[in-house]
Amino acid sequence: MSGPQPISGDVRAVVLAAGRGRRLGGITAALPKPLVPVLNRPVLTWIVEDLAASGITQVVFNLHHLASEITAWMHKVSIGGVQLASVREDRLTGPAGGLLAVLDHLCGAECTVVVSGDACTTVDFGTVVQAHQRRGAAMTVVTQVVEDPRPFGQVEADTDGWITGMVREPTRRLPSGMISTGMYVVSPGTLTVLAGLRSTAPDLDFDRHLVPALLRRGLPVAAFETSAYWNDVGAPQALLSASLRLLGTDRLDRAALPCQDAAAYPAAEVWCEGGHPTVMGTICGRVLLGGSVRVPVGSRIEGPAVLGAGTTLAEGTVLRRSVTMPNTRLPSGRFEDAVLFGDGEKASS
């Protein structure tokens, strides 16, 4: 498999990281959505590492909800020499409004990659940028065909892959099933158009405001359809699905190491993050254990499962096809197909 495609020229990136993440319930009361872990690593870490792998060295975030948590993460993380910057917004201004908030950091860039802070993806950003530059697009929207497009921004495109319109109406379903993944590449002219929309709406969106404005001006907007993995992990079921899906990919190699005591788990494939956890119970299937996890006698983990650092099971706990947030404490009982946090609370959208 070939590696990420290198980007040439001055290409920068914006990660939209301001949102509240209400669909994740109590998880985002104290943890901003972009720092929610997938395979026990913040979504932001995965995004910035993938941007760095494509050659991007400058990334800026717009911040609002729990902004100090993200700035603290920025100060302690080091990823491939990437320079991180942020702009704190006094209020939420919508996805495109978040891009508008960081315009001063984009002066001189040949183009800018924009990524939603809840995007869990294996998209090669370098390939997207190359396609954008080759086609001479004002804006490129990374798209994917999904079974039910109604919850997303739906995309209309012609046979050559040029976007002719976008629709966000939950009651209307376009035949193509094509949606925007919340990942874009924009050229400087598009940023100029966006700046002109500053006072037209309190919450600027890409599909409802920016793309229509570009099309009205006759500026070309391209669709880059991808079959790479993508999931919006802003809801519990999506977070669970992404975590368990990526547990079976080479991303696991970047998050943990195979357990050195493999002989103790003949029916399992156990991966450990940090020091070896305290495991006295039973494990089967593929399982990722964060640091300081405690699995006592009489408890059982049935993979696939991901346990966040500091997770503690009680005697009699059975955990199956689930994910726990850091420092989760599970009482005796059966937990299945769930994202869990706190004292065994189940996140539900």
Side-chain angles (χ1 to χ4, degrees):
M1 181 182 296
S2 61
Q5 293 298 306
I7 293 173
S8 60
D10 184 358
V11 179
R12 303 174 200 175
V14 174
V15 180
L16 302 174
R20 169 66 176 81
R22 295 184 185 279
R23 292 178 296 162
L24 287 170
I27 291 175
T28 49
L31 186 69
K33 182 171 60 171
L35 295 186
V36 168
V38 173
L39 299 188
N40 289 344
R41 306 174 82 218
V43 175
L44 275 187
T45 301
W46 291 112
I47 293 173
V48 177
E49 281 188 352
D50 290 343
L51 291 167
S54 293
I56 291 175
T57 59
Q58 297 182 60
V59 180
V60 60
F61 309 99
N62 75 313
L63 306 178
H64 179 72
H65 176 63
L66 297 176
S68 60
E69 296 295 320
I70 296 179
T71 54
W73 171 86
M74 290 170 57
H75 290 147
K76 68 182 180 182
V77 74
S78 177
I79 300 176
V82 176
Q83 297 177 0
L84 304 178
S86 66
V87 173
R88 184 166 184 165
E89 297 189 80
D90 293 333
R91 63 174 183 85
L92 293 175
T93 59
L99 176 57
L100 186 61
V102 303
L103 285 188
D104 288 347
H105 289 266
L106 306 177
C107 296
E110 296 175 27
C111 63
T112 300
V113 177
V114 183
V115 186
S116 294
D118 57 8
C120 186
T121 183
T122 60
V123 166
D124 181 348
F125 293 110
T127 299
V128 182
V129 170
Q130 289 176 356
H132 172 84
Q133 294 172 327
R134 184 172 60 251
R135 300 195 74 184
M139 178 176 180
T140 295
V141 180
V142 180
T143 64
Q144 192 165 82
V145 175
V146 299
E147 185 175 342
D148 185 3
R150 289 172 297 179
F152 305 95
Q154 300 181 60
V155 177
E156 297 177 300
D158 64 22
T159 55
D160 294 321
W162 294 107
I163 290 176
T164 57
M166 293 184 71
V167 172
R168 185 178 288 274
E169 296 179 20
T171 59
R172 180 182 175 193
R173 178 173 182 160
L174 299 181
S176 70
M178 183 183 294
I179 65 163
S180 166
T181 63
M183 297 183 286
Y184 315 93
V185 183
V186 295
S187 294
T190 293
L191 297 179
T192 301
V193 172
L194 177 61
L197 299 175
R198 189 182 300 271
S199 60
T200 61
D203 56 340
L204 287 171
D205 209 346
F206 291 99
D207 49 8
R208 292 185 295 119
H209 301 111
L210 180 55
V211 169
L214 294 172
L215 295 178
R216 285 195 300 269
R217 290 164 173 79
L219 297 172
V221 181
F224 181 94
E225 186 175 345
T226 182
S227 59
Y229 182 73
W230 169 82
N231 206 333
D232 162 3
V233 296
Q237 280 304 118
L239 177 58
L240 176 64
S241 174
S243 298
L244 300 188
R245 167 72 179 273
L246 294 181
L247 188 62
T249 71
D250 58 5
R251 296 250 157 175
L252 185 56
D253 294 323
R254 290 162 55 182
L257 295 171
C259 178
Q260 296 179 354
D261 192 16
Y265 317 107
E269 181 185 343
V270 181
W271 291 69
C272 297
E273 175 197 1
H276 194 288
T278 303
V279 178
M280 304 295 289
T282 303
I283 300 179
C284 62
R286 179 174 291 178
V287 175
L288 170 59
L289 302 176
S292 302
V293 164
R294 301 191 66 183
V295 185
V297 172
S299 62
R300 180 178 177 86
I301 303 172
E302 300 176 6
V306 178
L307 277 69
T311 294
T312 300
L313 277 61
E315 182 178 349
T317 300
V318 177
L319 184 70
R320 182 175 184 269
R321 286 189 52 82
S322 293
V323 171
T324 69
M325 295 293 101
N327 302 312
T328 299
R329 297 169 298 279
L330 296 181
S332 178
R334 186 174 182 87
F335 299 87
E336 185 171 356
D337 295 313
V339 176
L340 302 155
F341 66 100
D343 292 321
E345 298 174 74
K346 180 179 178 180
S348 59
S349 53

